[in-house]
């Protein structure tokens, strides 16, 4: 007979019944029938507030880029491995490539002339470019250029490939809901063409999607239908930068707190989050500003786009600069101080790109947030 | 005894019962009790398809502007009359200032230095500028400049005023749902300040609303909430023009029909129509293109923004040029031919601004459309 | 030349400009070009609050039934006239068969063995039965029996017919949005079969729709899809009565005000109003209770189902009893006193059936209500 | 220095790069920086279709009840342990009390006179009664009796307690989204009163919630607002049974397949699923009917309510009878044969209660289903 995976003892927690022979006998019965009593597990399963399995952590961009560049030399990209993407593995999540319990974040790297083969999957994805340019993402035949500051959402089940049309390598970050979909078991994945035909390896300055959907408040009548993921495949840095600049200039009545502007990327067919499971926002924190500690259900990954500062998440605190990534687990408070550094932009502001799993919580009536003022 | 407003005879329609003395007696009973039998009225009340009370009609811009300019000399603007607005009166609607059974359209005119006093109302409104500049609309303290090609939605119950800061008069068109709200009896109207304080009579190049909401796909997190009317108070011509140019260049797979691009103005908090009762769209019809006859439930008002052409609505047909307005009653087919004229833009395209009552029909499950191909 | 329907004078309202020859000349220009200035009409078109074209009025059931019965003898029912329905004509609405500016209400009457022919139309409709039984409404092949207290919604474009399978005539009321659809011009109407085949002239005790959709909180998975009108074709009196009894018994925390219970009929596929344009509610006012004056945008028609009372609408006041109908125009306050009468039910409560155009206002962001406490 | 949780080798999967010293060096760099390359993990993380971590399994009711009864003798119920609930532990989920990766299912047991203390939590929950009666669930002061066939939803953050007012013990099943909320880390939990006051330990035959919300298609106007979880706290067996009987009698056009009726429990304020994360349905499969194999993303737990049959899930197959529970993991096909047994109801139908995590998939655009016909 196979051994039961269930193991029970009367010492499993506080407030347990006395460990009599009858109780032992009962617990052996539970094990045999694959049963676990609530009273031995409730503290772990139903805590009084979220206690994350993940730990706050920071990754330094300089190490990521260096390792990615060495991968570019040593590891080919192609069918099977699919992408030269190197994922952040939260130290508390058992060595799995999970930045948080629900989110995947990786640096992707493509050498000059290389192609990442076409595929599609239910996992919702995006790219964000902290430096460089020269790669085009081709989505359903639409070639989208990637440049510093651009955000490219990629909702589930769109065919997509990448090709590097430049003379130098390019790195960027990928965000996906891989851990979430792994947990709930919703994944489908299809392989497409290993190499795109030349007709699709074009390098236009603007994608078709931007020409149709990139004009503020205007939708193309012939294409309009509600879709779960955004049909706009690139949100350009110039727009994001202008929106942040405008918001800060309008003053404290229009920012989330004094000196702290935030914009959210939205789907122009729903006005909701840009991806069904992932919320994406951009923060600009003026020089010298310290944000109020704030926490919410669900987890986030941040990348420093520009500037420098000091970040505190729960009991952890790090100095961060351009390209560095850090994670904020569920219900842990985050506070940020924007610290000017000599090498930064004139404004001295700290620019932070953020993605989180908030849509999962919002749509399922589980979202909570709290600000300490 | 008061005479009954009800008058019945057995000859009221086809298929009527024989006009016996007993029937006459019954009909006198109906009149006395304020009753009307369906069988005498069904053909009128429940037609087999919409038979509009309105008639297609065109107004020529040159006459409108001339009469508006003379009003500028003769009629003051101020509290009571509220606006120097002159409305289109559909010839079939009994002399009432209704462009269609549900929509009001007017030319508004403001002399240099003049102010239109502040008020607010449940009627949803907008301005559209076919020529000129120099007037600012002030909405809840936010001064919005108006220039050729700009579209300014003004959802119900926002406080608003206008002031002309230029050296010359300015004319534009106003669209409202006055006839609809008159029919259903939903109107509220409040007077505000007769003259705005100087602090609100500023002339910024961009409004606060544009700085917060005018960046494509980006929403200001501190301001975000679903609202029935758009928080973006001006949709600039440069954006509309670019969207139309892009759509036509992408080709026939992306236009509503070959050579005919259409964009719709949307509310960035809902992705739905820009106003709760009014749909607003912009058409560009390439030189030489003839659109397929198309009809829909509900009525529209069009204004020629640029170019020239020939318009056919049911049995009516007119040549139109810049500034001319025309109405399309419910379920009457519209077809347009874009005809280049010497004095027009290089492209020779016909640009048409359109507003309609389509949201009323869509939200109440009454929208139908039909294209003859 | 045709005479213009537009007629303007400088005496059209208060605050008018002085009637100079130049102004007269301008006004002749407006008339010629079919234009009407706002300043001559604003007081009427944009009042400070709704001023209804309709007047409160009551119709006594005994007169309605008597006239309907005489129609049964004199007027055949069949193709063309379609229904032996006699509509309430509000005395202030020019003799048209409109109970309110948006709503139609009629008594319908069918003699033993008679059929009302099949048709369908965009107008949303319902039947409500204040007395009698014996008629079946056949909707898309589903025969639905009608009995005292039953409410039968009939959303737009369902095929429907009636047949009286009893030995005696039957009367009931029909409610439709005919005036509203006449105003906005959305109407389509199709004739069906003049006589239903015997296979559809069945007389089951329960309809198919009730068997699929009439179980509380339960939906049939194979049939479930969101639809604008309710798929449940009859809401039985036993359920309505029980809901009202329960609500009153639970006490004042659960009623809209002390002694005044209200239930609303809903569409089980949306949880919204039972018809796209018509809200339907049932009120029970305990003996001796006087309701607080309450007004809302939009209009209502009420029918007394049981009990007796005194109704006040604006400046009008009437005693009402079983079957009597009355209308409440937009923004006029309604107050009701429930007065026990000897011939009534034991409880002495006043039961009122109500239908209104509230969904039009709610969906278009125009609904307001006010209670005087 | 702490050892890294990341462990990488070049043999981690197919299509790996050659295991050179340089690659080994790179992998040590990844481990040090807490990074995991996609190419070593993609097959596991992004499978071509869902490969469930869970295994199909069946639990026999007779064993569950027997062990629950012994727990009733040995284990007290009270503050701390909170509930005498014994959960199904899927044999492939590591001994954790998870029926599926997202769902918890347990048998709860209460002795005569016992109370389960009041608490509330974000986890969405329900009770379903396969046999017995005598326990009341008290929700926000509303005492709801539980009897065979009743389904009691309990949306997140309602205060609730139980008390057994009968002379004998009672068992029922609890379903919750504990594993899902554990994974995404959304849990909050508050303790309430250890013992309810006598005023709330009443034993009414119907709850307040049923009196307000239990009438088909009727909502109480004073209480109506959209809420994420159903305000109707009990769906009675008589209604469910009648809905299933009606659906089967109407014939194959109205069932999901011949001889297989399904009803879904819905929230009367939204017409959507009865709980934000849990879909609940009831199946009746006529005697002798074999259902077509069907699979969907997400997992389900079934309990046999009546009848007997043979169930096949992927490669597993079991005979089942009253009270038995079984789980269907994501994307595994389920087929059922209804087999009459001597001891069953006259109809010989197989009645199955089902709950699943389908709302999570539907709301996040991840739901797929497939039927083999």
């Amino acid at each position: 007979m196979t051994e039961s995976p269930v193991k029970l003892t009367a010492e499993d927690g506080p407030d347990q019944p006395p460990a009599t022979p009858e109780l032992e006998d009962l617990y052996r019965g539970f094990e045999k029938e694959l049963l676990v009593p609530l009273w031995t597990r409730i503290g772990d399963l139903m805590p009084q507030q979220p206690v994350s399995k993940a730990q706050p952590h920071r990754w330094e961009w300089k190490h990521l880029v260096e390792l990615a560049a060495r991968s570019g030399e040593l590891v080919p990209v192609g069918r099977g491995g699919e992408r030269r993407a190197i994922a952040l593995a939260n130290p508390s999540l058992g060595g799995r490539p999970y930045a948080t319990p629900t989110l995947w974040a990786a640096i992707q790297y493509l050498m000059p002339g290389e192609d990442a083969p076409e595929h599609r999957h239910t996992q919702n994805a995006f790219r964000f470019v902290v430096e460089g340019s020269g790669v085009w993402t081709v989505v359903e035949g639409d070639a989208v250029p990637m440049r510093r500051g651009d955000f490219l959402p990629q909702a589930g089940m769109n065919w997509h490939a990448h090709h590097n049309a430049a003379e130098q390598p390019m790195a960027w970050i990928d965000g996906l809901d891989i851990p979430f979909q792994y947990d709930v078991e919703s994944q489908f994945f299809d392989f497409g063409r290993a190499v795109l035909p030349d007709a699709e390896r074009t390098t236009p300055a603007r994608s078709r999607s931007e020409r149709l959907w990139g004009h503020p408040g205007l939708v193309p009548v012939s294409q309009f239908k509600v879709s779960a993921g955004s049909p706009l495949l690139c949100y350009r840095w110039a727009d994001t930068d202008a929106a942040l600049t405008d918001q800060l200039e309008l003053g404290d009545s229009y920012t989330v707190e004094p000196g702290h502007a935030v914009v959210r990327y939205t789907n122009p067919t729903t006005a909701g989050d840009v991806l069904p499971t992932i919320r994406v926002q951009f923060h600009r924190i003026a020089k010298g500003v310290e944000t109020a500690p704030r926490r919410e259900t669900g987890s986030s990954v941040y990348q420093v786009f520009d500037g420098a500062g000091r970040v505190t998440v729960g009991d952890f605190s790090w100095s961060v600069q351009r390209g560095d990534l850090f994670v904020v687990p569920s219900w842990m408070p985050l506070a940020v101080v924007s610290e000017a550094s000599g090498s930064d932009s004139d404004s001295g502001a700290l620019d932070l790109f953020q993605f989180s799993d908030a849509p999962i919580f919002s749509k399922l009536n589980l979202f909570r947030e709290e600000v300490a003022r």
Side-chain angles (χ1 to χ4, degrees), chain A:
Chain A
M1 184 195 155
T2 329
E3 202 182 357
S4 173
V6 178
K7 300 292 165 215
L8 299 168
T9 74
E11 284 80 41
D12 268 355
D15 305 310
Q16 294 302 308
T20 59
E22 291 78 8
L23 190 76
E24 290 296 334
D25 194 50
L26 177 64
Y27 281 14
R28 295 301 82 72
F30 287 158
E31 291 171 359
K32 177 160 177 287
E33 296 296 333
L34 294 164
L35 299 171
V36 176
L38 179 62
W39 59 86
T40 65
R41 295 287 185 272
I42 187 168
D44 176 44
L45 289 173
M46 302 181 88
Q48 295 195 249
Q49 57 182 51
V51 179
S52 185
K53 295 171 281 291
Q55 168 183 315
H57 194 76
R58 176 204 52 178
W59 288 259
E60 291 178 86
W61 184 242
K62 64 183 177 198
H63 297 312
L64 296 185
V65 170
E66 185 193 317
L67 289 163
R70 282 167 58 198
S71 302
E73 294 156 15
L74 297 176
V75 180
V77 65
R79 184 83 315 149
E82 298 293 304
R83 296 291 183 265
R84 191 185 290 112
I86 304 155
L88 311 186
N90 192 295
S92 297
L93 296 177
R96 284 174 293 170
Y98 294 0
T100 80
T102 56
L103 297 171
W104 158 285
I107 180 170
Q108 193 176 151
Y109 199 83
L110 213 52
M111 300 292 280
E114 277 188 340
D115 286 75
E118 190 180 52
H119 60 215
R120 65 176 185 179
H121 41 70
T122 50
Q123 286 87 358
N124 294 290
F126 70 81
R127 339 259 157 242
F128 176 70
V129 184
V130 76
E131 63 188 22
S133 63
V135 166
W136 270 254
T137 290
V138 185
V139 183
E140 309 268 346
D142 185 18
V144 191
M146 297 169 60
R147 304 185 198 98
R148 171 162 160 81
D150 294 346
F151 163 72
L152 294 89
Q154 183 69 66
M157 295 313 280
N158 275 321
W159 288 110
H160 58 284
H162 311 299
H163 65 96
N164 188 342
E167 306 283 309
Q168 58 288 326
M170 182 176 168
W172 65 88
I173 67 159
D174 284 344
L176 290 95
D177 57 7
I178 290 175
F180 175 73
Q181 295 211 27
Y182 184 83
D183 277 349
V184 301
E185 307 184 334
S186 51
Q187 320 106 316
F188 290 84
F189 185 103
D190 295 316
F191 292 108
R193 296 163 297 181
V195 183
L196 293 181
D198 282 351
E200 297 184 26
R201 299 181 79 251
T202 55
T203 56
R206 284 195 307 150
S207 62
R208 184 179 71 214
S209 81
E210 290 163 87
R211 301 182 72 177
L212 289 169
W213 292 99
H215 308 284
L218 296 165
V219 299
V221 170
S222 69
Q223 308 295 306
F224 188 74
K225 63 171 199 289
V226 169
S227 59
S230 179
L232 178 56
L233 298 175
C234 191
Y235 295 67
R236 295 284 167 210
W237 172 242
D239 295 314
T240 305
D241 186 35
L244 292 164
T245 300
D246 277 342
Q247 199 177 119
L248 272 185
E249 285 179 8
L250 284 169
D252 296 348
S253 304
Y254 301 97
T255 54
V256 296
E257 61 188 327
H260 181 185
V262 191
V263 293
R264 183 179 299 167
Y265 298 96
T266 58
N267 173 345
T269 73
T270 63
D273 280 297
V274 71
L275 289 167
T277 56
I278 304 179
R279 174 164 298 167
V280 189
Q281 302 189 137
F282 211 108
H283 301 249
R284 176 165 290 170
I285 304 167
K287 182 158 72 174
V289 166
E290 178 166 1
T291 68
R294 185 182 168 285
R295 58 183 176 174
E296 67 182 33
T297 48
S299 54
S300 284
V301 179
Y302 287 81
Q303 185 174 33
V304 177
F305 182 70
D306 211 349
R310 183 142 201 94
V311 169
T312 304
V313 183
D315 299 333
F316 290 71
S317 186
W318 325 277
S319 287
V320 293
Q321 54 186 304
R322 185 188 283 201
D324 291 353
L325 293 123
F326 59 92
V327 294
V328 182
S330 188
W331 210 236
M332 287 199 194
L334 165 71
V336 180
V337 185
S338 173
E339 297 170 339
S341 72
S343 60
D344 285 322
S345 65
D346 291 350
S347 77
L350 175 60
D351 278 1
L352 292 175
F353 174 85
Q354 177 200 8
F355 67 102
S356 78
D357 53 5
I360 298 171
F361 292 75
S362 293
K363 290 176 190 168
L364 301 176
N365 204 38
L366 296 168
F367 188 75
R368 284 199 200 187
E369 60 184 330
E370 195 179 86
V371 182
R373 287 183 213 273

